[in-house]
Amino acid sequence: MKDIEAIAALQDPVRRRLYEYVAAQGREVGRNEAAEAAGVARTLAAHHLDKLTEVGLLESGSRRLTGRSGPGAGRPAKVYTRARAERAVSLPARDYRTAAELLAEAAEQAGLDAGLCAAARRRGEALRGSAAPCGGLEEVMEMLAARGYEPHLEVAEDAEDAEGAQEASGEAPRVVRMRNCPFHAVAERFPPLVCGMNLALLEGLLGTDGPVRARMDARPGECCVVVEDSKNNND
């Protein structure tokens, strides 16, 4: 029932906008910022943010948003982040997670990594259908967003790659990172197997002979795969 109550809390359009904004930031968000993003008064935003925390969709804490400490720094403000717990409702009840974990365990013990990756790549290609490989990172963003990966653009962290790309194009290279892994629960238990499957799926979905490529670059709290311009790859 708790999951039903949590999801039902998003029926209110203001509450849903606030939740979506906080979830998309990947960091702590204060009440003033959230209220401005949702286009509502701070007091109304505070009410809805606290309700989202109460049902377990957000987590709250407090810190000084000024970045200062000591006398005159002001009182800590309440901040919010997306809750780590997953919420799902199935009527009638289903338990696909247990089935997925059992299949992953069996595949890992049998050494079926290569076969799983091949199947995942074929599934990605089937999902792409007759469409050409993704033509750029903006198209990648749209495709990944539609599949729940919550993509966002960042400047590449590798200074050497950035320097080489800047010399060639005048711009620092960008990568698409993903704040959500749709296979997170199973990936936590079987990371090499599931992350390899995820990479193969995205290679099939995005295409391997176009201007973008997917590669592994795990970072805590995010999907293990990133997507970048192929021209910025010097491998």
Side-chain angles (χ1 to χ4, degrees), residues 3 6 19 55-59 81-88 97 180 184-185 188:
D3 283 358
Y19 173 78
V55 298
L57 291 175
L58 297 181
E59 294 177 354
T81 56
R82 178 167 56 184
R84 297 178 181 87
E86 295 181 11
R87 301 290 181 182
R97 175 173 173 176
N180 182 51
H184 174 73
E188 277 196 318

Side-chain angles (χ1 to χ4, degrees), residues 25 37 130-131 150 181 221:
Q25 303 315 302
S130 60
E150 298 182 7
C181 172

Side-chain angles (χ1 to χ4, degrees), residues 77-92:
K78 202 164 187 179
V79 292
Y80 302 85
T81 56
R82 178 167 56 184
R84 297 178 181 87
E86 295 181 11
R87 301 290 181 182
V89 174
S90 176
L91 298 174

Side-chain angles (χ1 to χ4, degrees), residues 135-165:
L137 295 184
E138 284 70 23
E139 187 177 343
V140 168
M141 294 273 288
E142 293 181 9
M143 187 173 291
L144 294 178
R147 302 200 66 81
Y149 282 92
E150 298 182 7
H152 63 284
L153 277 172
E154 288 187 6
V155 174
E157 295 179 353
D158 191 311
E160 293 182 0
D161 287 351
E163 182 178 353

Side-chain angles (χ1 to χ4, degrees), residues 59-225:
E59 294 177 354
S60 64
S62 61
R63 66 177 177 87
R64 289 187 173 90
L65 299 179
T66 61
R68 297 179 297 170
S69 60
R75 297 175 59 186
K78 202 164 187 179
V79 292
Y80 302 85
T81 56
R82 178 167 56 184
R84 297 178 181 87
E86 295 181 11
R87 301 290 181 182
V89 174
S90 176
L91 298 174
R94 296 289 186 262
D95 188 7
Y96 299 113
R97 175 173 173 176
T98 296
E101 289 179 348
L102 289 171
L103 290 169
E105 182 178 354
E108 188 173 75
Q109 292 179 352
L112 300 178
D113 305 55
L116 176 61
C117 287
R121 192 171 289 106
R122 290 194 299 270
R123 174 60 63 90
E125 291 169 350
L127 290 171
R128 177 159 52 93
S130 60
C134 277
L137 295 184
E138 284 70 23
E139 187 177 343
V140 168
M141 294 273 288
E142 293 181 9
M143 187 173 291
L144 294 178
R147 302 200 66 81
Y149 282 92
E150 298 182 7
H152 63 284
L153 277 172
E154 288 187 6
V155 174
E157 295 179 353
D158 191 311
E160 293 182 0
D161 287 351
E163 182 178 353
Q166 283 178 310
E167 290 177 359
S169 66
E171 296 182 358
R174 301 175 301 166
V175 298
V176 175
R177 291 190 174 272
M178 294 162 260
R179 292 196 174 99
N180 182 51
C181 172
F183 317 110
H184 174 73
V186 186
E188 277 196 318
R189 288 197 58 189
F190 308 96
L193 182 76
V194 178
C195 290
M197 177 200 74
N198 188 29
L199 175 61
L201 177 69
L202 291 179
E203 285 175 340
L205 185 65
L206 304 177
T208 57
D209 53 353
V212 302
R213 71 146 190 170
R215 63 176 175 84
M216 290 285 195
D217 189 11
R219 195 163 73 176
E222 296 191 349
C223 178
C224 57
V225 178

